Structures are given as structure tokens and as C-alpha cells.
């Protein structure tokens, strides 16, 4: 319970501070209102108690200044006998309460407690509104109603509040960069740069210079200093896509950067501090990538997210397809086409190895009249049941990185039953990262 106390008389300031501290409040006392204003903002988790008669800035001017910063921050004014009319005017101007001298200490404590309780409720309501608004924004970015996507959004919302580095794993086309951007845009770094680097696409000969930058003369052709991608991300978020493609020699250098949050440009001697949040992604478990350093994996992986494949959330396919149709139609300046139920059923039954990206391309072709997925024959009930069963097994294998014991236990199957169904549906554990016997 925080109280910011302002009174220009030292004896009264000391007496009121003692009264409030004995009642359990944490008190910050100021002799001038101007000093108190430096301590007040919309996040201040306490209340202000101020004398109304003070030199320079009085209680009324302080009330007005605080209201400009946060109109819901409770301000309690202390008045003399002759100031009651002024105090009433202050109440009309937004003061929480006033207390008239002389007063019993218990009266001040009671008013302060009520004001603190109100402030706590105000801040909690604001926090709840931010969460709800963040959830709405996140649902617009990461679309879907399946349990897997709802849980993914929950984890993103949680990790966005912290500055923890995150490793994002998922098959090609599942939307890992979309997840990375959501983590950035919902974080405290949202106003700073989001720098995405696809490590697999950088030329091997220039990758170090591209990442770290270089000084003039570092190598033939380096005529002037050049800032690298790492430095461009200072203050913001650095997204390292396809981290498994990083050459072993650069893995050592990246490990040092992540540990020390500093870089040295190629050919230079000066160390540059690097205030960034690292996000990395891989389309397969990094433990299965030959030559990837385990110490770097552990540094990049204090927290991890798994983006589920589209086949593991088939129920989201109709919603996503309609969304992509709307976007594609807008780009082509065409009307959004109608989609038959049979078309959506046929789409939901497909495996989609290219995941969300492949589905988006399908919608683009459909809008342009290049493909009609509804031409497929409707599925029988038995075919739908088999498609659903295959999707559930694939999702469990993906969630457990191909570990069979965890998979059949989570599905409530016997080991033999799981083997038989995997054989029936053409599912191979190595496709889900499985490399150890169960």
C-alpha cells in the first residue's frame, strides 16, 4: 500500500508519515508538489495525500496536473478550517476525498485505505482490459479455434509479457514467423525494430559480415564501415529463422553473442552492446540436426513454442480457408467466392504437407478460378473417421517429437495398436523427430 505524501511543513510531514507507516503503508514524503509529480504516472500503484495550501504549486494545481496524467489516480487533500469551500471545489474537480484539520489519525488511515483499495481495483481492471484487447489482437493474427491453437495463443500471450528468448519449432509453412511477430508486437519492444533473418538464404561467403557488420578494410571490397543485421535490431527483436542452417563456426560466435549480448564487427576491435530479444525457429527439432551445438540450443531455448501442423487441427481448415479467400479476393479486386460445404469437407480431409502456406496458395488459386477443390467426391463417414483418427495420431506424434511411449499413453492406446495404426496410415516416427528407441 503506497502513499505519496506532500506537505511543505516538515513536522507535519514527519507526523503524518509515521501515522501511515504504523498502519502498514509505504510512504514517500515530499516537501514540494513539483517533486511529487516526478513520481506519478498512470502505472503508479498508490494514492496521493497532499496539503492544499503550499507555496509555488498548491494542492489544486497538483490535482489538475495529476488528473492530466491519470484522472483515476485518487488524490486526498488536507484542508484547514478556512479551506472547506476550496476542498469542495476540489472534489468537483476530481479529488477522491478531503480531510479537515485537525483530524484523528484513524480518520486519515481509513480514507487512505479506501483510496488504495480503489486504486488497486482500477489497475486490475486496466490489466484485464489489456489482456482482453491483447487476446483479440492475437486471435486476429493467429487464427483458429482448435485446442492446439488456443493453447498456442495462451503461451504467446504469456511469453510476450517477458523478455525471455524463445525457440519456435514447427513444420515448414505452419506460421512460425507469424508467431515470432506476435511475440514482438505484444511485447514491451513493440515500438522498436523486428529484424527477421532467414539463415538458410544468406550466402555462405558473406553471412558473417551480413550478421555482425564490418569495418572498412576488413576484407577486399570493404570500402566503408557497415552495420550488420544484429546491430539493426538493437532495442528490438531479432528473429533467426531456420537456425539449424547456421554453419558450425558461426554457431560458436552466435553463442557468445547470446551469452554476452554484445558483438564485434568483422575486422574491428570495438565491442558493441546489443540490447535485443532473440527468437529462433526451426522446422525440425534441433536435437535431430547434425552438427548443431547443444550449448547454443540450451541458450536459445529458455522457453519454446511448438506450432502445430495443419493436419493436427483440421477443424480450423474451413475458417482459415475462408479467411485466405477474403484476403486473396481483396488483393485481386474480385468478389469473395461462395464455398460449398463439400468443398470445405474435401479440404479438411487433405494432409497439407505445406501447411497454412499451402492452404493460402489454394485459396489464391480458387479466387482466380484456377482450381476448384469442391470437385472432389464427398467423403463417406468411414473415410471421415479415418481422416480424423490419422490426424489425431499425427498430432500426438508431433507433440511428443516422435516418442512412441508418450504418444500411445496420451492416446490411451496399446503399443501394438499404435504400431498397427501408424502402418495403416503411413505415419513414420522419424518424420516427427523420433530417433531413439522406446
Amino acid at each position: 500500500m503506497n502513499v505519496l505524501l506532500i506537505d511543505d511543513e516538515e513536522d507535519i510531514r514527519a507526523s503524518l508519515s509515521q501515522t501511515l507507516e504504523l498502519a502498514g503503508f509505504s510512504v514517500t514524503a515530499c516537501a514540494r508538489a513539483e517533486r511529487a509529480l516526478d513520481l506519478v504516472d498512470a502505472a503508479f500503484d498508490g494514492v496521493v495525500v497532499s496539503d492544499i495550501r503550499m507555496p509555488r504549486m498548491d494542492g489544486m494545481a497538483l490535482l489538475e496536473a495529476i488528473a492530466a496524467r491519470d484522472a483515476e489516480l485518487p488524490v486526498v487533500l488536507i484542508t484547514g478550517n478556512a479551506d472547506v469551500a476550496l476542498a469542495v471545489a476540489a472534489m468537483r474537480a476530481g479529488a477522491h476525498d478531503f480531510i479537515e484539520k485537525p483530524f484523528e489519525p484513524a480518520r486519515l488511515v481509513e480514507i487512505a485505505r479506501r483510496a488504495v483499495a480503489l486504486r488497486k481495483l482500477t489497475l486490475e481492471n486496466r490489466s484485464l482490459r489489456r489482456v482482453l484487447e491483447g487476446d483479440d489482437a492475437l486471435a486476429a493474427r493467429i487464427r483458429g479455434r482448435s485446442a492446439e491453437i488456443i493453447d498456442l495463443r495462451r503461451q504467446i500471450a504469456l511469453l510476450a509479457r517477458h523478455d525471455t528468448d524463445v525457440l519456435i519449432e514447427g513444420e515448414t509453412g505452419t506460421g512460425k514467423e507469424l508467431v515470432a511477430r506476435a511475440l514482438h508486437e505484444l511485447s514491451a519492444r513493440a515500438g522498436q525494430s523486428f529484424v527477421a533473418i532467414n539463415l538458410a538464404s544468406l550466402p555462405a561467403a558473406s553471412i558473417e559480415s551480413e550478421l555482425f557488420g564490418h569495418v572498412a578494410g576488413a576484407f577486399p571490397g570493404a570500402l566503408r564501415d557497415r552495420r550488420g543485421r544484429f546491430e539493426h535490431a538493437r532495442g528490438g527483436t531479432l528473429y533467426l529463422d531456420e537456425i539449424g542452417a547456421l554453419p558450425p563456426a558461426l554457431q560458436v560466435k552466435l553463442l557468445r553473442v547470446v551469452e554476452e549480448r554484445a558483438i564485434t564487427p568483422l575486422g574491428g576491435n570495438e565491442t558493441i552492446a546489443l540490447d535485443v530479444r532473440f527468437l529462433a525457429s526451426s522446422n525440425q527439432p534441433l536435437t535431430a540436426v547434425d552438427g548443431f551445438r547443444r550449448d547454443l540450443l540450451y541458450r536459445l531455448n529458455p522457453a519454446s513454442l511448438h506450432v502445430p501442423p495443419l493436419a493436427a487441427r483440421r477443424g480450423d481448415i474451413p475458417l482459415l480457408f475462408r479467411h485466405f479467400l477474403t484476403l486473396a479476393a481483396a488483393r485481386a479486386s474480385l468478389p469473395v467466392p461462395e464455398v460449398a460445404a463439400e468443398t470445405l469437407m474435401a479440404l479438411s480431409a487433405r494432409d497439407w504437407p505445406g501447411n497454412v502456406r499451402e492452404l493460402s496458395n489454394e485459396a489464391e488459386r480458387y479466387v482466380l478460378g484456377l482450381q476448384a477443390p469442391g470437385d472432389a467426391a464427398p467423403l463417406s463417414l468411414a473415410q471421415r473417421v479415418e481422416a480424423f483418427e490419422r490426424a489425431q495420431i499425427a498430432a500426438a506424434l508431433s507433440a511428443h517429437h516422435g516418442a512412441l511411449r508418450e504418444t500411445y499413453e496420451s492416446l490411451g492406446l496399446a503399443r501394438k495398436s499404435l504400431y498397427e495404426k501408424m502402418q495403416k496410415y503411413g505415419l513414420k516416427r522419424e518424420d516427427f523427430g523420433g530417433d531413439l528407441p522406446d
Side-chain angles (χ1 to χ4, degrees):
M1 296 189 295
N2 295 315
V3 173
L4 180 57
L5 174 68
I6 307 104
D7 197 301
D8 60 316
E9 296 186 37
E10 185 176 353
D11 291 346
I12 294 177
R13 199 166 61 244
S15 174
L16 295 180
S17 293
Q18 184 179 44
T19 295
L20 291 166
E21 286 171 349
L22 289 173
F25 292 92
S26 175
V27 180
T28 301
C30 301
R32 292 284 183 269
E34 297 90 340
R35 168 68 183 119
L37 275 179
D38 294 336
L39 305 175
V40 171
D41 58 22
F44 180 67
D45 61 345
V47 299
V48 175
V49 175
S50 174
D51 192 14
I52 203 168
R53 292 285 185 184
M54 294 181 293
R56 300 180 186 174
M57 177 180 281
D58 63 11
M60 290 294 288
L62 175 64
L63 173 64
E64 183 179 353
I66 289 175
R69 300 183 183 194
D70 185 351
E72 294 181 296
L73 201 164
V75 177
V76 178
L77 296 175
I78 299 174
T79 74
N81 289 329
D83 297 327
V84 174
L86 187 59
V88 171
M91 293 286 288
R92 290 174 181 160
H96 172 75
D97 207 340
F98 72 92
I99 185 168
E100 183 182 353
K101 299 176 184 176
F103 53 83
E104 292 292 327
R107 173 70 177 150
L108 174 62
V109 169
E110 178 189 354
I111 291 175
R113 280 186 176 149
R114 286 204 309 266
V116 165
L118 177 63
R119 183 60 175 171
K120 181 180 179 182
L121 181 61
T122 298
L123 294 178
E124 286 176 352
N125 287 339
R126 287 181 185 173
S127 178
L128 179 59
R129 282 198 298 271
R130 283 196 298 270
V131 170
L132 293 175
E133 290 166 359
D135 285 348
D136 290 342
L138 190 52
R141 291 181 179 91
I142 314 294
R143 293 177 179 267
R145 298 169 184 159
S146 62
E148 293 83 359
I149 287 299
I150 290 172
D151 187 55
L152 177 63
R153 287 200 295 260
R154 180 190 63 79
Q155 294 179 67
I156 292 171
L158 177 64
L159 290 173
R161 301 174 199 167
H162 306 283
D163 216 26
T164 310
D165 296 337
V166 181
L167 175 64
I168 306 166
E169 294 182 329
E171 295 178 9
T172 298
T174 50
K176 296 185 291 296
E177 183 170 342
L178 200 62
V179 169
R181 287 186 181 277
L183 283 168
H184 171 74
E185 290 167 9
L186 296 176
S187 75
R189 296 179 180 268
Q192 304 299 320
S193 298
F194 176 87
V195 177
I197 307 171
N198 187 310
L199 296 172
S201 68
L202 293 179
S206 61
I207 187 171
E208 185 172 359
S209 172
E210 190 74 24
L211 297 178
F212 291 86
H214 62 254
V215 299
F219 51 84
L223 303 180
R224 56 181 178 272
D225 292 356
R226 182 180 184 277
R227 293 172 64 197
R229 301 275 194 94
F230 285 177
E231 195 173 349
H232 279 292
R234 289 168 73 184
T237 301
L238 186 65
Y239 172 53
L240 302 173
D241 190 17
E242 298 197 49
I243 186 70
L246 192 66
L250 283 179
Q251 290 181 33
V252 178
K253 294 191 174 185
L254 177 60
L255 175 62
R256 178 168 293 181
V257 172
V258 177
E259 288 178 335
E260 300 178 0
R261 289 307 201 264
I263 58 169
T264 302
L266 193 62
N269 297 312
E270 181 184 353
T271 298
I272 300 172
L274 199 65
D275 171 26
V276 300
R277 182 188 195 181
F278 284 96
L279 305 177
S281 71
S282 175
N283 59 16
Q284 60 180 311
L286 289 176
T287 52
V289 177
D290 290 339
F292 195 85
R293 297 178 63 96
R294 293 300 174 98
D295 49 2
L296 177 56
L297 168 60
Y298 300 143
R299 281 292 182 182
L300 292 171
N301 191 23
S304 63
L305 291 172
H306 178 73
V307 187
L310 196 53
R313 53 183 188 113
R314 293 180 185 274
D316 288 337
I317 290 175
L319 179 150
L320 288 171
F321 188 68
R322 287 194 178 101
H323 171 64
F324 292 139
L325 283 179
T326 302
L327 296 179
R331 286 193 296 269
S333 299
L334 292 170
V336 180
E338 294 292 328
V339 187
E342 291 78 9
T343 296
L344 296 175
M345 288 166 53
L347 292 171
S348 299
R350 287 169 51 178
D351 283 341
W352 301 104
N355 292 292
V356 176
R357 188 179 300 138
E358 183 183 358
L359 183 66
S360 176
N361 292 340
E362 186 86 357
E364 189 93 30
R365 290 191 291 270
Y366 192 61
V367 165
L368 298 175
L370 301 177
Q371 191 155 338
D375 292 342
L379 296 176
S380 68
L381 178 60
Q383 288 173 318
R384 295 180 208 175
V385 170
E386 286 188 349
F388 177 79
E389 185 175 57
R390 185 188 189 281
Q392 293 301 304
I393 294 172
L397 285 166
S398 178
H400 298 295
H401 302 297
L404 297 184
R405 179 186 294 275
E406 287 87 343
T407 298
Y408 64 68
E409 287 180 351
S410 69
L411 293 171
L413 292 173
R415 176 195 289 261
K416 181 181 178 183
S417 295
L418 177 62
Y419 285 142
E420 290 173 348
K421 291 179 184 295
M422 288 175 63
Q423 187 173 13
K424 174 182 176 181
Y425 297 127
L427 298 171
K428 299 179 181 179
R429 61 176 305 183
E430 54 266 28
D431 293 337
F432 301 92
D435 58 357
L436 297 174
D438 285 281

